[in-house]
Amino acid sequence: MSGPLAGIRVIELARILAGPWAGQTLADLGAEVIKVEAPEGDDTRRWGPPFIDRGDTQEAAYFHATNRGKASVTADFRTPEGQQKTRELVAGADVLIENFKVGGLAKYGLDYASLSALNPGLIYCSITGFGQTGPYAHRAGYDYIIQGMSGLMSVTGPAEGMPHKVGVAVTDIITGIYASTAILAALHERTRTGLGQHIDLALMDSAVAIMANQAMNYLATGTAPTRLGNFHPNLAPYQVVPCCDGHIIIATGNDAQYQRLCNLLGLEALAEHPDYQNNAKRVSRGTELSDLICEKTQNWAKDALLTACESQGVPAGPINDMAEVFADPQVIARGLELDMQGMKGVRSPFNFSAHPDLQHSPAPKLGADD
């Protein structure tokens, strides 16, 4: 392997998404990641259609989205042989990632206390729905449920009707990213102490943490934010607008951008109107301002309005489907679509001057490295 983490060995006792996403992130950075799977494999190998056909094997595209760059070995933790095989792997490892229920690995002798005695330098990262402590620690964690419990769905979707989830399992993914960040911090600390440690990551914690301005809006006012559809709670105009052939996004972040938008739409009187002269006033009159702007934008074609916005320094962008994403000149220029030994994938977003050609390989076949 090449990359900033070359020489780091990671044992992944994880399946589905959050744990494997952390493992894939470390693999993308050059770590050797050995995925230890039950004899039947990670559940997501069967989460299709669609499936990726590799001649002698067929796995779901979902599995390939989160297991790039790893090796695969099989071990049945219920057997002494499987437990011993795993311990032998851990003995020479730097990091272990697991997402079993709290206490689920202790009966196999694969918990932190047991494995840190074997390998005192081990960074042991546990990922669960609700963490190792608290009244919900025993519960299974599912992204959809966490999106609801964390407040994310309370601010997602139209103002009327039912709340909406985000279109990908975002709390799983962000927990995987937080996990990889925590692992890197623990590895850095190990250079000073020589000792590993246990990292406790929870989907619920991560989901609450990413509520960002929405959480602070509540803490600052005591009023829970509500769903605003495609409007922004702190900026205006910052929204989807209609065009004669679809919709685009316009996202003004300051007074000057707002004024330029008004001028290009022929709303010069609105640019300096005292009711909208600063962001706070625009937010307080967001609906009426939106109506005035949308009345103008609906007469424009999407491409023409996007071109006009770019020429005038007004932040705007299209609403792409995935086909349009991978045909976008910027996505093409950044090389985000991978071709890994004839298999397509999505490149990690890392770009290092010292490692301009990070290596990526396809997700492993089950037990390929036994």
Side-chain angles (χ1 to χ4, degrees):
M1 298 294 291
S2 62
L5 293 183
I8 296 296
R9 172 174 282 194
V10 179
I11 307 302
E12 182 188 298
L13 312 184
R15 62 265 192 235
I16 314 299
L17 185 50
W21 196 269
Q24 179 173 264
T25 302
L26 298 176
D28 286 342
L29 290 169
E32 176 191 11
V33 180
I34 302 172
K35 186 178 182 70
V36 182
E37 301 184 67
E40 61 273 17
D42 188 314
D43 292 347
T44 59
R45 287 185 182 271
R46 299 175 292 280
W47 279 18
F51 292 97
I52 304 295
D53 191 342
R54 291 200 274 187
D56 57 337
T57 63
Q58 187 183 71
E59 306 99 357
Y62 194 115
F63 175 81
H64 285 272
T66 190
N67 287 287
R68 177 177 61 243
K70 303 174 186 177
S72 171
V73 302
T74 57
D76 188 342
F77 297 160
R78 296 166 298 185
T79 68
E81 295 78 13
Q83 296 163 19
Q84 181 59 26
K85 182 177 183 179
T86 304
R87 279 193 286 268
E88 288 173 359
L89 289 169
V90 171
D94 299 285
V95 177
L96 183 144
I97 301 169
E98 62 93 4
N99 62 351
F100 283 72
K101 289 183 180 180
V102 173
L105 288 174
K107 59 187 174 183
Y108 306 125
L110 300 175
D111 55 310
Y112 173 66
S114 300
L115 295 182
S116 63
L118 172 69
N119 179 352
L122 183 68
I123 310 299
Y124 188 111
C125 182
S126 296
I127 299 175
T128 56
F130 297 95
Q132 302 293 304
T133 60
Y136 302 158
H138 65 284
R139 294 185 185 180
Y142 293 92
D143 171 85
Y144 207 152
I145 293 171
I146 301 297
Q147 286 198 37
M149 293 182 69
S150 65
L152 181 57
M153 287 177 65
S154 77
V155 296
T156 304
E160 303 297 329
M162 68 174 62
H164 287 199
K165 70 178 182 68
V166 180
V168 295
V170 64
T171 72
D172 271 315
I173 291 171
I174 199 67
T175 304
I177 295 170
Y178 272 129
S180 59
T181 302
I183 287 165
L184 294 177
L187 285 168
H188 178 71
E189 185 172 41
R190 193 181 67 176
T191 64
R192 300 195 307 270
T193 67
L195 297 174
Q197 59 186 293
H198 189 200
I199 299 170
D200 172 9
L201 259 292
L203 271 66
M204 183 69 168
D205 296 356
S206 299
V208 173
I210 65 166
M211 290 307 295
N213 60 298
Q214 295 283 25
M216 285 306 301
N217 289 349
Y218 165 70
L219 294 173
T221 66
T223 301
T226 58
R227 302 193 309 277
L228 298 174
N230 288 317
F231 293 101
H232 194 287
N234 301 100
L235 292 169
Y238 202 98
Q239 64 186 85
V240 172
V241 299
C243 296
C244 63
D245 57 349
H247 296 81
I248 68 166
I249 298 165
I250 290 178
T252 62
N254 56 49
D255 295 341
Q257 291 172 355
Y258 163 72
Q259 291 161 0
R260 293 197 293 271
L261 172 64
C262 289
N263 291 333
L264 78 85
L265 292 177
L267 294 169
E268 291 83 356
L270 220 57
E272 302 292 344
H273 196 288
D275 285 349
Y276 310 109
Q277 66 185 185
N278 61 46
N279 182 69
K281 290 185 175 183
R282 293 194 294 274
V283 170
S284 69
R285 296 175 172 83
T287 300
E288 63 188 50
L289 177 60
S290 175
D291 290 344
L292 293 168
I293 289 173
C294 291
E295 185 178 353
K296 292 291 188 177
T297 64
Q298 65 187 358
N299 298 317
W300 288 68
K302 292 188 298 183
D303 287 347
L305 184 52
L306 287 169
T307 299
C309 285
E310 183 168 1
S311 70
Q312 296 301 312
V314 176
I319 301 172
N320 291 333
D321 62 23
M322 292 312 302
E324 291 167 323
V325 168
F326 286 104
D328 189 289
Q330 182 67 19
V331 173
I332 293 170
R334 300 288 286 181
L336 291 172
E337 181 178 327
L338 290 174
D339 185 342
M340 302 172 293
Q341 303 168 25
M343 184 180 299
K344 291 184 181 298
V346 182
R347 181 180 69 79
S348 65
F350 306 113
N351 294 280
F352 295 95
S353 61
H355 302 279
D357 297 308
L358 288 176
Q359 300 300 305
H360 297 87
S361 58
K365 296 180 181 180
L366 179 61
D369 303 282
D370 277 334

